[in-house]
Amino acid sequence: MTRLYLSCDSCALSVGADELAQALTAQLGEQIDLQRTSTRGMFWLEPLLEVDTPQGRVGYGPLTAEDLPSLLAADLLNGGDHPLCIGLVEQHPYLARQQRLTFASLGHNRPLAMEDYAAQGGWSGLQRALNLSPQQIVDEVKESGLRGRGGAAFPTGIKWQTVLDAQAPYHRGFDEAVKFIVCNADEGDSGTFSDRLVMEDNPFQLIEGMLIAALATGATRGYIYLRAEYPHAHRVLQQAITLAEQQGYLGEAILGSHHRFHLQVRLAAGAYICGEETALLESLEGKRGMVRAKPPLPALEGLFGQPTVVNNVISLASVPLILSKGGAHYRDFGQGRSRGTMPLQLAGNIRQGGLVEVAFGVTLREILYDFGGGSASGRPIKAVQIGGPLGAYIPPAHFDTPLDYEALAAVGGMVGHGGIVVFDDQADLGQMAAFAMEFCALESCGKCTPCRIGSTRAQEVLARIRQGEDAEDNLALLTDLCDTMEQASLCALGGMAPYPVKSIVKYFGEELHSVSQTPSAGGQH
Amino acid sequence: MAAHIPLAPVESSTEARIRTLAGDLKQQPGALLPILHAVQDTFGYVPECTAAVLATELALSRAEVHGVISFYHHFRTRPAGAHVLHICRAEACQSMGSAALERDIKQLLNIDYHQTTADGSVTLEPVYCLGNCACSPNIRLDDAVHGRMTLAKTERLLQLLKEGQA
């Protein structure tokens, strides 16, 4: 019997992995042992089928059920050669050149198999944390240099220290002086999917990270605030939490200790602003997702007024390794003030889109060409938008910028949550500038005037510029409006919506002035 | 033979069902969103009487509940068609030609966003990111995401729906 591996991640499913699995089982039945594993994160190859051979796993992709006859004719079950064969998967340059720390398990585990998680070194960070004092755990995270991977890049250890030091008041609803760990899983940025990968492909890693955060800060309850657009991740997380409860990792007396931690998933409802931490807390409390003024910091007065850690999925998923191998091990990756690795997500018009986890410091050009292989359409890359819908559009002149927090900021960009969306030379960036403000207007919570009104006015001004109406005066007005939004908005949505617009004015100014004939960007079909 | 039991004050079955859904969840702090999800999962939308019923159940004002329902894009206040088709409008999908796909699908179904086809089979909605940005453009048909979409593939999916196989 030959062992085969095929991802059950929602990306693989979206391009026909289940249909392929059915065809394989129907045709090969008893001859194969088909394992449904996590994805490798090489999404242009999905569905990617791997075959166990004495030399290692040989990969084939992207496949459809129609490829089966020719694959079988090419001796698939012995790793035979075929036009869709990529050779030994582990030696594929896309994987071999990465430094996968947070995503080390990808491709090696069945997402809901606890024995697979343990075999990949899972729970060893928790085991160590159970023998440390809260301060020692916080110190380990501080030592690692980990900064919030959701986009704000705030040092995680310092946030945890604030919650550890906070005195929680008694809360009547929970009948205890409760502190919370809230996982921000409202991954709304276009071009990002690393949170989804953790939740769908290795959910116990997130649970372990939250448990360690709880031990470090004295929190007893946790919520995963998950976007409603991720139904597959929702199902996987629910099952993972149930399994972890059954095995004594969640609930009362964690692994026989005196610690307890109750975790539940709360489904969001399709509001981008709820990825902002204070809007998220309002939403968890059952309210409109309106941004709160800071202070007070959520670390001191967060969910239901209690001390609360709010961390992104990737930040929390980075913690088990930091605890098991030590903060110094993690810190030794990266450069300057950007320590460790960043799971970059290569998306849009790119030939080899997927997850690229590398130490900070690799250049954008290496990511786009060495990993990405250039545009999917084969046309020249005109711009990349980094860090989601509020990120700047970076022109090729800056492609040699190293990817770290400070270097990107120096050219007006940001790492954000690590999404890189690629546009070829047919993209209409004037249209993308208009879209940035359209999106901000649609998603503004409405609490502060610069964001609520400014985004709509900016759309109107951009439309006038694009139609050539008093272009110069309107451009001055747009610049002024962008400054107001940037300086006076309450949160990052209004404060950063001008970034994509200003970058297009700066680097692609001529595109603002003509309404293009095509409705939007190009791309191959 | 059971004795005659006087009926409770007349209440529509919709209201009663919403009250039951709320009853299961309302003890947990911040219960409004979980309850609204349960209501929409049950009815396919959030019926008009929901705000009044939940205001009583949760000791909130009707305005507060209405404010929450109307804030979130996910909650719909009118019934949808038998299937909901979401087209991703975010940047990664735009970079792979989603604007053209969007136009073609609207033409194919002969409806705009937030509308339902004449036969009641499909409701069309925009969505901003399905998290499958390396396989753009993407659509979501009910709970399933479909990547690397083209008009032809969409037509085939809709055909399968008609034949009851999707």
Side-chain angles (χ1 to χ4, degrees):
Chain A
M1 187 183 281
T2 309
R3 181 165 281 188
L4 305 180
Y5 304 87
L6 181 65
S7 167
C8 57
D9 166 276
S10 70
C11 174
L13 300 184
S14 82
V15 289
D18 275 351
E19 290 76 4
L20 179 62
Q22 277 164 20
L24 281 164
T25 311
Q27 291 195 34
L28 298 168
E30 301 291 289
Q31 291 178 65
I32 58 165
D33 165 23
L34 180 62
Q35 302 269 320
R36 299 302 296 271
T37 62
S38 55
T39 176
R40 293 277 187 177
M42 301 196 286
F43 290 134
W44 80 99
L45 292 171
E46 293 288 4
L48 171 65
L49 182 67
E50 300 179 29
V51 181
D52 234 358
T53 74
Q55 290 72 41
R57 291 199 209 168
V58 176
Y60 301 84
L63 298 187
T64 64
E66 285 83 66
D67 295 316
L68 266 190
S70 70
L71 283 164
L72 292 174
D75 200 14
L76 169 79
L77 296 185
N78 288 306
D81 199 23
H82 185 275
L84 293 173
C85 180
I86 62 160
L88 291 170
V89 179
E90 300 277 345
Q91 289 177 13
H92 194 286
Y94 198 83
L95 284 184
R97 297 190 54 184
Q98 296 194 32
Q99 287 132 320
R100 286 201 171 164
L101 301 184
T102 306
F103 286 97
S105 296
L106 277 193
H108 299 284
N109 67 310
R110 291 163 297 165
L112 285 166
M114 291 193 92
E115 64 271 34
D116 289 11
Y117 185 62
Q120 294 293 320
W123 308 119
S124 54
L126 174 68
Q127 296 283 4
R128 179 159 173 252
L130 280 166
N131 293 315
L132 296 177
S133 71
Q135 187 60 56
Q136 286 173 315
I137 303 174
V138 171
D139 288 344
E140 201 72 78
V141 175
K142 279 184 187 165
E143 165 89 19
S144 74
L146 177 66
R147 292 165 71 179
R149 298 286 190 251
F154 187 82
T156 306
I158 292 176
K159 192 183 273 188
W160 288 17
Q161 184 73 62
T162 310
V163 177
L164 169 62
D165 294 341
Q167 283 296 320
Y170 174 80
H171 189 286
R172 205 155 52 98
F174 294 94
D175 192 27
E176 62 172 318
V178 61
K179 293 180 185 178
F180 296 105
I181 307 298
V182 170
C183 170
N184 184 345
D186 195 34
E187 184 174 52
D189 290 354
S190 176
T192 64
F193 40 76
S194 59
D195 293 351
R196 179 180 66 70
L197 289 185
V198 170
M199 296 185 286
E200 290 182 358
D201 292 285
N202 208 12
F204 299 117
Q205 189 179 351
L206 175 59
I207 293 173
E208 186 181 355
M210 292 185 76
L211 274 163
I212 293 168
L215 294 177
T217 57
T220 49
R221 287 178 184 275
Y223 293 95
I224 299 171
Y225 184 83
L226 174 69
R227 63 197 303 255
E229 292 84 351
Y230 283 179
H232 186 67
H234 189 209
R235 286 188 291 270
V236 175
L237 281 175
Q238 297 277 31
Q239 292 178 58
I241 288 173
T242 304
L243 287 166
E245 284 170 348
Q246 286 166 356
Q247 301 283 321
Y249 290 98
L250 290 172
E252 301 291 324
I254 294 158
L255 297 184
S257 71
H258 64 281
H259 298 285
R260 61 199 163 88
F261 187 62
H262 295 271
L263 178 60
Q264 60 168 283
V265 182
R266 279 286 184 90
L267 211 50
Y272 178 75
I273 191 61
C274 291
E276 196 283 333
E277 63 176 0
T278 63
L280 185 159
L281 294 174
E282 290 285 301
S283 183
L284 269 180
E285 291 182 9
K287 302 173 190 160
R288 292 162 69 89
M290 306 282 277
V291 172
R292 293 178 187 170
K294 287 194 270 194
L297 293 172
L300 297 172
E301 288 179 43
L303 186 62
F304 302 110
Q306 305 295 112
T308 304
V309 169
V310 186
N311 277 157
N312 167 256
V313 174
I314 299 298
S315 313
L316 289 163
S318 304
V319 167
L321 181 91
I322 290 170
L323 263 290
S324 67
K325 295 218 169 156
H329 172 79
Y330 189 81
R331 187 203 56 212
D332 287 346
F333 293 86
Q335 61 174 30
R337 290 180 52 224
S338 303
R339 311 309 312 185
T341 58
M342 184 73 202
L344 297 165
Q345 301 125 83
L346 206 41
N349 198 331
I350 188 84
R351 179 168 298 154
Q352 300 184 158
L355 179 88
V356 181
E357 182 179 358
V358 283
F360 285 99
V362 60
T363 68
L364 198 44
R365 191 178 302 282
E366 291 172 79
I367 295 291
L368 294 174
Y369 295 97
D370 297 352
F371 286 95
S375 72
S377 59
R379 304 184 63 93
I381 294 175
K382 176 154 77 177
V384 296
Q385 188 184 27
I386 308 180
L390 309 176
Y393 286 82
I394 309 283
H398 287 309
F399 283 180
D400 289 315
T401 308
L403 285 168
D404 76 29
Y405 294 119
E406 281 70 29
L408 258 183
V411 297
M414 61 160 179
V415 176
H417 184 46
I420 300 177
V421 178
V422 181
F423 294 82
D424 74 8
D425 64 349
Q426 296 205 308
D428 176 357
L429 294 184
Q431 155 65 24
M432 298 317 294
F435 177 78
M437 284 299 172
E438 182 189 334
F439 184 71
C440 181
L442 188 72
E443 298 296 335
S444 175
C445 82
K447 183 151 179 168
C448 73
T449 316
C451 175
R452 184 183 67 243
I453 309 281
S455 51
T456 298
R457 293 289 98 90
Q459 277 186 79
E460 295 162 1
V461 174
L462 273 164
R464 288 201 289 273
I465 294 171
R466 279 162 65 70
Q467 275 148 17
E469 199 181 313
D470 300 328
E472 213 165 295
D473 288 352
N474 275 309
L475 196 58
L477 188 59
L478 180 70
T479 308
D480 196 36
L481 185 55
C482 282
D483 283 346
T484 305
M485 288 179 70
E486 220 177 301
Q487 306 293 329
S489 295
L490 199 51
C491 82
L493 177 54
M496 291 169 59
Y499 286 15
V501 177
K502 282 168 63 175
S503 66
I504 289 169
V505 170
K506 183 173 175 186
Y507 298 123
F508 306 96
E510 69 287 355
E511 295 201 26
L512 274 182
H513 298 293
S514 58
V515 177
S516 127
Q517 296 306 305
T518 49
S520 184
Q524 265 189 345
H525 292 287
Chain B
M1 184 83 186
H4 176 76
I5 300 167
L7 289 168
V10 178
E11 183 177 62
S12 80
S13 65
T14 304
E15 287 172 355
R17 286 171 73 192
I18 294 170
R19 217 178 289 284
T20 309
L21 291 169
D24 294 341
L25 297 164
K26 72 177 180 187
Q27 294 313 323
Q28 53 176 304
L32 185 51
L33 254 68
I35 295 172
L36 287 172
H37 274 293
V39 170
Q40 178 150 309
D41 290 348
T42 303
F43 296 95
Y45 71 112
V46 178
E48 204 184 338
C49 63
T50 305
V53 175
L54 294 185
T56 315
E57 289 295 306
L58 298 173
L60 296 167
S61 74
R62 281 173 65 172
E64 281 172 306
V65 181
H66 173 79
V68 170
I69 296 170
S70 59
F71 182 85
Y72 294 97
H73 301 304
H74 180 78
F75 298 125
R76 55 171 67 255
T77 50
R78 279 177 302 173
H83 302 280
V84 180
L85 177 65
H86 285 93
I87 306 177
C88 180
R89 295 198 68 218
E91 290 88 343
C93 285
Q94 289 193 45
S95 79
M96 288 301 283
S98 67
L101 181 66
E102 182 180 355
R103 185 192 55 214
D104 292 345
I105 292 178
K106 283 179 180 179
Q107 217 160 48
L108 176 74
L109 297 174
N110 198 25
I111 49 173
D112 205 340
Y113 283 129
H114 314 300
Q115 295 178 348
T116 302
T117 51
D119 65 358
S121 63
V122 180
T123 298
L124 193 63
E125 296 287 351
V127 64
Y128 294 86
C129 201
L130 293 164
N132 197 30
C133 317
C135 295
S136 296
N138 288 284
I139 65 166
R140 175 178 166 181
L141 186 55
D142 298 326
D143 257 4
V145 175
H146 299 273
R148 300 181 196 139
M149 284 313 284
T150 59
L151 180 64
K153 285 192 198 171
T154 312
E155 282 181 298
R156 197 152 65 234
L157 279 174
L158 292 171
Q159 189 57 40
L160 287 173
L161 268 192
K162 263 191 191 146
E163 295 161 10
Q165 291 173 23

